[in-house]
Amino acid sequence: MVVSPLVFPPRKRRPSAGSFVSPKLADMNLVQSLLSLSQEISSLKPLQFLLKRNSLSVINKTKLLSILFEELLRNPVSNFFSPSTLLCFEEMYIVLQRIKTLIEDCSNGSKMWLLMQIQVLSNGFHDLNLELSTLLDIFPFKEVELSQDVEELVVFVRKQCSQSKPLVDPRDESLRLEVLAMLDRIEKEIVPDHFKLKKVVEDLGLRHNSSCREEIESLQEEIQNQNDEKSKSDIVSLIGLVRYANCVLFGSSTARRTDHSRRKSMSDLTIPADFRCPISLELMRDPVVVATGQTYDRESINQWIESGHSTCPKTGQTLAHSNLIPNRALRNLIAMWCREQGFPFETVGSNETVNGVKATKVAFEATKMTVSFLVNKLSSSQSMEAANGIIYELRALSKTDSDSRACIAEAGAIPTLVRYLASGVGSQQPSLQVNAVTTILNLSILEANKTMIMETDGALNGVIEVLLSGATWEAKGNAAATIFSLSGVHAYRKSLGRKTRVIKGLINIVKDGPMNSQKDALVAILNLAGDRENVGRLVEGGVIEMVTGVIDELPEETVMILEAVVRRGGVAAIAAAFNAIKKLAAILREGSDTARESAAATLVTICRKGGSEVVAELATIPGIERIMWEVMGSGTMRGRRKAATLLRILRRWAAGLDLDTDNVVDSSSMMTMTVNNTSRTVLPA
């Protein structure tokens, strides 16, 4: 049996020497494995831009060793080797594994980081040469009885390995020092020399937009391979430099410019239950532990306590104190999960950037320089084609971190972006309109930018225009997501709800749009429904009829909207919701725990405010009491309480008693706060 050499995924940290193991084969099978491994190394291409001589040297030595293994297989002296010979071959196999992995690691990883580690990696090649030399020193020539030519060849390789010295190409070292000097100048807010910057990136093989993007991705992945904070921070600085070089030297990528894959929403994922805040039911960004030992998102539990509550929302126990203790272990797990799903994880109010690493002064200044260059270029752009490429770069940059969003807004990009939201732009170049509205969406994630967007002349009207008549569903969906993001501020929620065009646009998207766009519009409607003044306008706009029409496809989102609207919408809302009673009962029977909880709460409100006629309609549903018992046995804590209340209402109606059930305790106040303070995660697009 021949063992295939271990192959490690590209762009992953090279394993330590102790991670490699011998194949534990005997005799000629081991020699065959050595031959296969040496041939694989021989077929590798030497590194192109850095460490070229180091990699070429070790590949050539391995080619010569493959002749040794071929000779051993052609003319086996014996079917069995001595234990010392087997040990020598096993150790040789491990060294060759490490050679192969080192070359592949250097080939697939970040060129910038490779340059920064040039001395360490050069020493790594040197160490492998010395280990190979040691093994060839003890090679059992007498036992294997090689031909004279092959024996001389092995002696030659041994001599070459023993005479090897750590080699750093002067050109590589000069390039490393130039990059360090450039980073130092950027930290001092000095714009890099264009000619020197061009030479550096070209010498590293970064000669077009796509290669720079791949380099940035490699650097971002390399952060996960580092254990110390300094190395992570150094990589963040390099990312800033490469991003700046990409924009200044190569502009936008035609290939990527037309790539507008649909923005993922957190609602498209199944968030682990332990990662959801029990109050908001959304992904926790800053989990904290209260006195009862329960964990909540800091923003949600703060609002709960500040609204006058002194109990734990989940257990109902009185809080012994109001101290909030950070749950760092859970936060790390959530951050890891977000990385695995391909989403950034940023805590509220933090300046964390790539994969949770704080921005360096170099990275921040490089971002400012990049943004300044792009915004100035956009202001003087004469064609839609050129503007599209620039705005795409701003869109990509606004997706990365809070610093980038702040820099883009402070550089005056928002008024310029407004020009490209018009319907005329969408009809001529739809992708340009998509890029513009999506950039504004990404900027709105930063709290400070919400005010800037709302106060910029024409910005809100431009977003609403896209919401109503965007050229694509992607544009409309991202406009809806922008409305959701802006409505996170209570004052803006009121002003947005007063605009009938906003309500009309959101409802139209839910009625006619694809599911992703529907979800964006529904969460925006849910946020608007958190304000009592808005509910009347939503009811007049037909929100209950709209929700009833799509409740089968999107039960969780629509039922939460129904619950919020019927609680605050008065008689008109209750009357409009009459036709939804049977559908709510169906969700109680088959829906998720979250949907069943909201459905039960909605039915309680409808029955209380709608009177006997509504309860009679509910009572006609076959098996309704059995459904209530099922929810009481297996639903959420709040769902069980609401189901018990609903069952009490049905039995009082059947007995001809008054329907007043105010004495039944439930936790509706928690849901009120959830709707009023929706904290659904908005992800950069």
Side-chain angles (χ1 to χ4, degrees), residues 210-263:
S210 59
S211 62
C212 284
R213 290 187 184 279
E214 289 174 4
E215 174 65 15
I216 291 172
E217 291 172 3
S218 296
L219 285 166
Q220 289 171 335
E221 291 176 7
E222 186 62 45
I223 289 177
Q224 304 307 313
N225 296 332
Q226 304 302 319
N227 294 320
D228 62 293
E229 292 303 316
K230 184 181 184 308
S231 294
K232 292 181 179 181
S233 297
D234 290 344
I235 295 173
V236 170
S237 298
L238 292 172
I239 290 173
L241 175 62
V242 176
R243 187 174 285 132
Y244 173 77
N246 180 35
C247 290
V248 171
L249 300 177
F250 306 118
S252 58
S253 167
T254 303
R256 295 294 293 267
R257 189 181 306 160
T258 57
D259 175 21
H260 301 297
S261 57
R262 181 67 177 97
R263 172 178 57 90

Side-chain angles (χ1 to χ4, degrees), residues 262-283:
R262 181 67 177 97
R263 172 178 57 90
K264 279 188 177 181
S265 168
M266 188 64 79
S267 57
D268 297 327
L269 298 174
T270 302
I271 302 174
D274 291 341
F275 294 174
R276 290 180 182 269
C277 174
I279 296 175
S280 68
L281 303 180
E282 297 298 333
L283 185 74

